[in-house]
Amino acid sequence: MTTNTSEPALTLAGPADVLAAVPYLVGFHPADSLIVVGLAQGQVKVAVRWNLPFPSGTLAPLRHLWEREGVDRVIVVGYGPGGQVTPAVDEARSLAAEAGVAVDEALRAHEGRYWSYVCDLPQCCPPQGMPYDPSTSRVAAEATVRGLVALPDRRSLERTIAPATGPVRLAMRRATADAVAEARAGLAACGDADAFASAFVSAGLTRVHTALTAHAAGDRVDDATAARLGLDLTLIRVRDEAWTLTDPTHLGLWKDLTRRLEPRFVPPAASLFAMACWRGGDSTLATIALERALTIDPAYSMANLLMHALQCLLSPDMLSGRLPTPAELDTAMGPAHAAWLLPLLSTLDEDDHPSATFEEDHPPAFEEDHPPAFEEDRPPAGRQKRHDRAVTEDRGRSALGERDRLPSALGERDRLPAASEERAHPQSTGERQRQPQAAAQKDRAQAA
């Protein structure tokens, strides 16, 4: 089996090569996970990861994903003890059989050994498992030479967008306090709340566009501007325009703000960062960003909407032609008025919870390789916002249709399934640049 030689490729010649390649497909070395790699004509199209264990039926969205990406073969890999991995692998194989998709390999890896679910020949698949070391594999060496990275664990990937600490955090706290004081003073002095709202939105939109231009030129916004952007993005009209403009080139700005902003101002920036990641084909980092947003504000609608889309394995291409232009936002939302300020007022009235503030300086030590799973019947645990914050988010009347337009495109499920993460090949999104191509080559017959 050959790969497309026009782009970097990894050739996989057996189970050990598959296990060495998987960390580079998902971006880190997984544990307690199920990974399903979808291939079309011998090349990787998508790699999707779930936390284990998960409820029966969790993998149902895969069938639509396979159809959308033209997947004709899959590789299934589970990490963990047999009692945890086997039910998940069985569900994936059953779904593949129903969809007419061939299973090239199905493996379980645990404590330095692997077992195959599709081979029972003792000479190549002994009952006690086969030892393997991905760090010494030819595939790992090839991936490293080609600039591909596999972080030690998911926690390492989380750290890439962890809150800034030290002098950066202290400077941002001072800048945020100044921005909040300025906004409160302006509100207290204004004689016309509608006029104040109009001026605030106009200044916020200008600041967003200027910041995007500055980051595209390699510049970083200063603390005062970053703090004001945090306030600006609480207004749905400002956030929505940033949302409609989002593309992968905006990653730098939204990542920077996700790290620098004070906790209560993070959800909009983290959601915009997730949107840019998703559109760039990196759903793993998008999921991590959304977890950050929802831990701070479980009711934040943009984060919940995007998480739903990610967990249903939807393509960002579904938004093509659906996001309004700035002019259409103006038409749909009408002139700015005082009610637009409600989310800002609610946020200004809050103080960052002491525990959340402490975590900004001392990031929590998540259990290694055990990322928090989003359960189907409850939102992620975190600091609960005041009830009026959730209400004002709904009253913002987002022209993006979070309540009445996009959900129809996201399917009819209204609960969050178990967490999943998708890594898309550039050919599947037309945008992702760093995902490798790979070919899965079966050599069982020769080994037998």
Side-chain angles (χ1 to χ4, degrees):
M1 183 179 296
T2 60
T3 64
N4 183 346
T5 57
S6 64
E7 301 212 18
L10 300 176
T11 300
L12 311 183
D17 285 350
V18 169
L19 293 169
V22 163
Y24 295 94
L25 296 178
V26 299
F28 59 93
H29 290 266
D32 294 323
S33 302
L34 180 78
I35 286 84
V36 178
V37 180
L39 304 100
Q41 299 180 343
Q43 296 178 352
V44 169
K45 298 293 287 185
V46 289
V48 193
R49 190 194 73 88
W50 287 264
N51 301 329
L52 290 177
F54 54 64
S56 176
T58 294
L59 304 184
L62 273 175
R63 187 160 188 166
H64 175 70
L65 174 68
W66 292 339
E67 292 175 357
R68 188 182 79 219
E69 302 296 340
V71 169
D72 51 24
R73 315 186 77 80
V74 296
I75 298 172
V76 182
V77 184
Y79 291 83
Q84 178 173 276
V85 170
T86 299
V89 172
D90 287 346
E91 182 174 337
R93 295 176 67 193
S94 176
L95 186 65
E98 294 172 2
V101 174
V103 177
D104 274 358
E105 184 59 277
L107 301 170
R108 178 174 75 87
H110 188 53
E111 297 180 344
R113 291 181 175 270
Y114 70 81
W115 292 260
S116 174
Y117 290 92
V118 299
C119 174
D120 57 5
L121 299 174
Q123 57 266 44
C124 61
C125 300
Q128 69 272 23
M130 284 288 288
Y132 79 101
D133 183 357
S135 65
T136 62
S137 167
R138 166 191 58 82
V139 171
E142 289 180 1
T144 301
V145 168
R146 289 171 176 144
L148 304 176
V149 176
L151 297 176
D153 48 46
R154 192 177 188 269
R155 182 183 173 189
S156 299
L157 193 57
E158 291 169 354
R159 289 194 190 106
T160 64
I161 60 168
T165 59
V168 174
R169 171 58 53 218
L170 294 176
M172 278 303 301
R173 283 182 186 151
R174 288 192 292 267
T176 301
D178 291 344
V180 168
E182 180 184 329
R184 283 176 171 161
L187 284 164
C190 78
D192 185 339
D194 288 344
F196 180 88
S198 179
F200 197 95
V201 169
S202 178
L205 291 173
T206 298
R207 205 160 11 243
V208 166
H209 284 269
T210 301
L212 288 171
T213 301
H215 260 268
D219 297 328
R220 184 172 186 249
V221 297
D222 59 31
D223 293 335
T225 301
R228 286 174 172 80
L229 283 167
L231 272 65
D232 296 333
L233 292 170
T234 63
L235 272 62
I236 290 176
R237 175 62 183 84
V238 177
R239 184 210 64 189
D240 277 8
E241 181 149 334
W243 187 355
T244 64
L245 297 172
T246 299
D247 66 49
T249 65
H250 298 169
L251 279 169
L253 176 62
W254 305 132
K255 179 179 181 179
D256 184 41
L257 292 182
T258 298
R259 299 199 63 197
R260 291 166 67 192
L261 291 176
E262 289 293 277
R264 68 188 188 274
F265 295 105
V266 164
S271 298
L272 291 166
F273 177 63
M275 179 69 174
C277 289
W278 184 37
R279 296 198 67 175
D282 190 348
S283 293
T284 302
L285 196 53
T287 299
I288 290 171
L290 294 174
E291 288 172 355
R292 175 95 184 276
L294 292 170
T295 297
I296 295 169
D297 185 356
Y300 196 68
S301 59
M302 178 182 179
N304 276 300
L305 178 73
L306 292 179
M307 184 66 84
H308 184 83
L310 289 170
Q311 293 172 339
C312 289
L313 306 183
L314 300 179
S315 168
D317 292 340
M318 59 165 282
L319 297 178
S320 297
R322 299 185 67 89
L323 295 178
T325 65
E328 290 171 335
L329 285 174
D330 286 336
T331 300
M333 299 184 73
H337 52 85
W340 285 17
L341 299 173
L342 290 174
L344 172 65
L345 295 174
S346 179
T347 306
L348 291 180
D349 287 343
E350 296 174 1
D351 290 322
D352 288 309
H353 193 280
S355 63
T357 303
F358 177 83
E359 288 173 4
E360 294 290 322
D361 290 324
H362 306 275
F366 294 107
E367 185 176 355
E368 186 141 333
D369 286 337
H370 287 71
F374 284 79
E375 297 181 1
E376 194 156 358
D377 294 322
R378 64 177 175 86
R383 179 165 62 91
Q384 293 294 324
K385 294 288 187 178
R386 291 169 26 155
H387 175 68
D388 60 354
R389 172 68 179 276
V391 172
T392 54
E393 175 70 13
D394 289 344
R395 289 177 180 169
R397 299 184 181 181
S398 167
L400 288 174
E402 293 176 40
R403 296 293 188 269
D404 59 7
R405 190 164 170 229
L406 289 182
S408 63
L410 295 177
E412 298 181 358
R413 298 187 64 182
D414 57 3
R415 294 197 212 171
L416 296 179
S420 65
E421 297 162 354
E422 174 191 350
R423 282 294 185 97
H425 185 276
Q427 292 181 351
S428 66
T429 65
E431 296 169 322
R432 184 169 178 79
Q433 297 301 315
R434 80 175 193 80
Q435 182 65 37
Q437 291 185 342
Q441 180 177 349
K442 292 287 291 175
D443 61 355
R444 290 298 190 195
Q446 295 176 1

